[in-house]
Amino acid sequence: MKWNSIVVKMGSTIIILLLLVLLPLGYIVNQIFSGFYFKEVQDQLNRLSSQYAESIHSLEEQKMLTMYELLGDMTEQEIVIVNENGLVVANSGSPLFQKGSSIEIEMMDSLIRDHELQGLKIEGNSKTRYYIVGKAIYEREELIGGLFVMTSIEGIYESLEKIQRLILLASVGSILLAMGFTFIVSRRLTNPLLEIEKATRKIAKGNFSTRLEVSSQDEIGHLVKAINDMAKELHRNQTTRSEFFANISHELRTPITYLEGYARVLREKRYHTEEEKNEYLKVIEQEAKRMGKLVEDLFELSKIEEGKLELQLEEVHLTKILKQIVSKVKIPAQNKGLEIILSIEEKRFNIIADKSRLEQVLINLVENSIRYTDRGIIEVKCLESGPDVRISVKDTGIGIPEDEIPYLFERFYRVEKSRSRKYGGIGLGLSIVKQLVELQHGSIKVESKVGQGTEFQIFFPIYKEEQQDEEN
Ligand code: ADP
């Protein structure tokens, strides 16, 4: 186990917390118990010594002294009586004093000075601890002696030690329990983390098919899901990347083959008429254009992705631009037998955009609609939609399968690869469209049904209402 592992960190935190709670708690409990026991003894000795001292009026009667000695014998407390000179005249059996000998001068002094004394006293031989309370005996306000009541407090110390031992045992027990608990919990926590570490290392090495099992619904479960999603996404990116290069080479190879072939035919003069020659030259021109478009799109995309595309944002008259676009694509649409309709609301709006980029976006959408529609109509609409203006391009074409819609705006993503052979296209258009729309603070949405048609909608914040004379 590493010193900086979660088990150690969690374990030491819990133990420190426990100690922070247990140590003061143990101290307080110990203080409460010792205070309680000592107070009991003090109160009892004080009460008894006062009672006894008050009931003595003379030390002359031997009978009375013997009675106190007997009383001491019968109870748990020892009783010692001294005369006014500090000489022990009665002792029920306390080993601290000797009958016939004098008590310490300091004791007698404090009796005379304070009329009482109390404290701990240790017996020399057995080291037994006694609590002793002394009271001065007065007769008609004249000191005639002193009375001491004492009791061994070894029992109290034993009880306290027992309590301390119990507190210690409970503390050690709870620390051990906490350690066991920490170990189990952190094991359960770190095992999946170690699995995650292994998996992410594999993913980092490029093994994107690595997946982790989601075994809980907590934060770790969410992390596992996020890592699985990341691996999936990387896998898809990897596939898209390989497809990206395959696509580029394929897209370049086709026109190059045409260019080579037709150039050779022309060089070897393998044509019969001037018309045939022009036909071949047209193919060369078209393929060169196609190559140019591919290179242009790639360049454009890389510029956008690197954030190097500079936009000329200005106020744009939407009606004007839409009319221009529709008239531009009318001929290609008619050539395919398609009708193209432009419907604009009575209220018309201006937006802030880059005119030529907006045109590029709209042309792309309309051209796609023409490309992927074999019959029917293409409708270009411009409507108010809350704070935005919504431009929609709707067709009655082949549509897009629902599960492919989320990937539509990715580079080189082409719906059903077989389509592209029939309809052409390299899958860069929509990716460029989306990024251009977003760069102009807009958003794009698509709705589609296979066999029924597709509608692309772009939204831009309305800048202001269009003036009538701005229309044309
Ligand atoms: P492409 O150059 O291949 O058209 P795009 O990025 O413009 O690339 O479009 C991506 C894919 O989306 C296309 O392969 C096509 O299948 C699909 N698509 C785009 N517009 C339409 C549409 N109006 N109707 C049907 N499918 C469309």
Side-chain angles (χ1 to χ4, degrees):
M1 202 187 303
K2 287 185 197 150
W3 282 111
N4 55 358
S5 69
I6 288 183
V7 185
V8 175
K9 282 183 192 164
M10 226 168 108
S12 46
T13 311
I14 290 183
I15 288 169
I16 289 170
L17 279 177
L18 264 176
L19 287 177
L20 280 178
V21 173
L22 287 174
L23 286 178
L25 194 75
Y27 177 75
I28 291 167
V29 170
N30 188 42
Q31 288 299 100
I32 290 173
F33 274 100
S34 58
F36 171 75
Y37 282 139
F38 280 111
K39 182 105 183 31
E40 282 268 283
V41 172
Q42 276 174 349
D43 288 350
Q44 195 188 25
L45 295 185
N46 263 308
R47 202 172 40 197
L48 288 176
S49 55
S50 298
Q51 276 173 8
Y52 296 158
E54 278 165 22
S55 60
I56 297 173
H57 302 290
S58 149
L59 298 180
E60 301 302 316
E61 278 179 55
Q62 189 52 46
K63 245 196 209 158
M64 192 266 308
L65 294 176
T66 318
M67 191 197 78
Y68 276 105
E69 281 178 343
L70 277 172
L71 186 66
D73 274 349
M74 284 186 304
T75 57
E76 281 177 3
Q77 298 83 24
E78 302 296 346
I79 301 169
V80 171
I81 301 173
V82 295
N83 65 14
E84 76 269 31
N85 301 319
L87 196 74
V88 178
V89 288
N91 184 354
S92 67
S94 165
L96 295 171
F97 300 94
Q98 292 251 300
K99 203 169 167 183
S101 59
S102 295
I103 62 167
E104 290 157 20
I105 297 171
E106 300 83 51
M107 281 178 88
M108 203 58 208
D109 282 349
S110 54
L111 258 194
I112 296 166
R113 190 178 59 241
D114 307 326
H115 316 300
E116 64 170 12
L117 67 84
Q118 55 182 301
L120 265 181
K121 219 164 167 32
I122 300 168
E123 202 274 310
N125 298 330
S126 63
K127 303 277 179 228
T128 311
R129 284 161 285 194
Y130 284 86
Y131 197 79
I132 177 164
V133 176
K135 301 275 175 189
I137 306 171
Y138 289 96
E139 178 58 26
R140 291 194 200 97
E141 294 184 5
E142 192 183 320
L143 183 84
I144 57 165
L147 180 134
F148 298 94
V149 182
M150 68 219 72
T151 187
S152 159
I153 46 168
E154 286 307 321
I156 293 180
Y157 280 112
E158 265 169 37
S159 305
L160 282 177
E161 270 162 24
K162 255 188 216 159
I163 290 167
Q164 283 163 356
R165 265 201 301 276
L166 275 175
I167 292 174
L168 194 75
L169 210 72
S171 308
V172 172
S174 45
I175 286 174
L176 285 177
L177 257 173
M179 279 167 76
F181 175 77
T182 316
F183 188 74
I184 294 168
V185 170
S186 43
R187 260 293 136 108
R188 289 192 61 177
L189 201 79
T190 48
N191 279 352
L193 287 179
L194 292 175
E195 289 295 311
I196 290 172
E197 187 196 348
K198 251 193 260 167
T200 40
R201 285 196 191 288
K202 273 194 205 164
I203 295 170
K205 278 188 186 148
N207 191 349
F208 299 141
S209 54
T210 311
R211 294 288 179 277
L212 280 157
E213 206 181 308
V214 184
S215 53
S216 62
Q217 288 305 317
D218 53 14
E219 287 86 341
I220 290 189
H222 295 162
L223 178 66
V224 166
K225 260 193 219 151
I227 288 172
N228 282 345
D229 288 349
M230 180 186 77
K232 242 186 262 169
E233 197 50 37
L234 287 170
H235 197 217
R236 233 173 45 71
N237 272 351
Q238 191 189 38
T239 321
T240 323
R241 233 170 77 100
S242 338
E243 276 177 11
F244 177 86
F245 290 115
N247 279 326
I248 295 181
S249 25
H250 175 79
E251 293 303 328
L252 284 172
R253 207 177 307 126
T254 320
I256 287 171
T257 317
Y258 277 110
L259 290 177
E260 266 185 345
Y262 285 98
R264 193 179 313 122
V265 167
L266 289 172
R267 188 171 46 82
E268 291 169 4
K269 300 200 169 50
R270 282 182 7 221
Y271 49 86
H272 306 292
T273 59
E274 201 57 23
E275 219 170 78
E276 204 182 336
K277 178 183 159 190
N278 280 341
E279 202 56 39
Y280 294 159
L281 281 170
K282 217 161 107 188
V283 174
I284 289 176
E285 196 184 331
Q286 272 171 358
E287 291 306 319
K289 257 192 200 153
R290 194 174 144 75
M291 267 175 78
K293 169 93 173 85
L294 172 67
V295 173
E296 203 180 292
D297 277 0
L298 282 173
F299 184 60
E300 181 106 327
L301 203 65
S302 75
K303 254 199 314 192
I304 296 175
E305 286 181 358
E306 281 173 30
K308 286 187 184 150
L309 191 84
E310 277 181 21
L311 292 176
Q312 309 270 300
L313 293 176
E314 57 180 330
E315 188 176 346
V316 173
H317 313 313
L318 271 182
T319 324
K320 200 166 157 187
I321 230 172
L322 288 169
K323 279 183 178 170
Q324 279 169 1
I325 284 161
V326 168
S327 71
K328 242 188 219 172
V329 293
K330 210 162 203 140
I331 304 294
Q334 277 169 358
N335 287 346
K336 246 188 126 180
L338 302 170
E339 193 186 343
I340 183 155
I341 305 171
L342 172 67
S343 47
I344 297 171
E345 259 191 358
E346 224 163 80
K347 254 172 145 190
R348 298 159 183 205
F349 304 100
N350 288 351
I351 59 169
I352 294 290
D354 180 314
K355 213 161 154 191
S356 68
R357 294 300 178 182
L358 181 66
E359 226 176 83
Q360 184 184 348
V361 164
L362 294 167
I363 292 259
N364 212 312
L365 293 179
V366 179
E367 276 181 355
N368 267 357
S369 282
I370 297 172
R371 188 184 304 157
Y372 297 107
T373 305
D374 292 329
R375 63 180 159 276
I377 47 172
I378 288 153
E379 202 182 353
V380 180
K381 278 193 284 191
C382 182
L383 303 157
E384 184 180 3
S385 170
D388 297 327
V389 63
R390 185 179 82 208
I391 307 162
S392 102
V393 180
K394 193 175 175 188
D395 62 49
T396 51
I398 55 172
I400 301 158
E402 207 182 322
D403 55 338
E404 306 225 26
I405 288 180
Y407 310 116
L408 216 57
F409 297 104
E410 288 181 9
R411 296 181 309 189
F412 283 110
Y413 193 84
R414 286 186 292 190
V415 176
E416 294 168 10
K417 307 285 173 292
S418 56
R419 271 189 188 186
S420 48
R421 240 164 276 143
K422 182 177 170 198
Y423 293 99
I426 40 176
L428 286 178
L430 286 180
S431 165
I432 295 175
V433 161
K434 184 170 194 267
Q435 303 203 49
L436 283 179
V437 167
E438 285 171 357
L439 279 175
Q440 294 172 88
H441 312 297
S443 59
I444 185 162
K445 232 169 72 177
V446 57
E447 277 169 26
S448 187
K449 274 223 159 67
V450 173
Q452 290 185 20
T454 307
E455 181 177 11
F456 280 93
Q457 298 180 333
I458 48 179
F459 299 81
F460 288 105
I462 294 172
Y463 179 63
K464 69 173 194 207
E465 231 172 282
E466 218 173 79
Q467 303 297 313
Q468 280 301 309
D469 55 10
E470 288 174 348
E471 257 180 53
N472 295 306

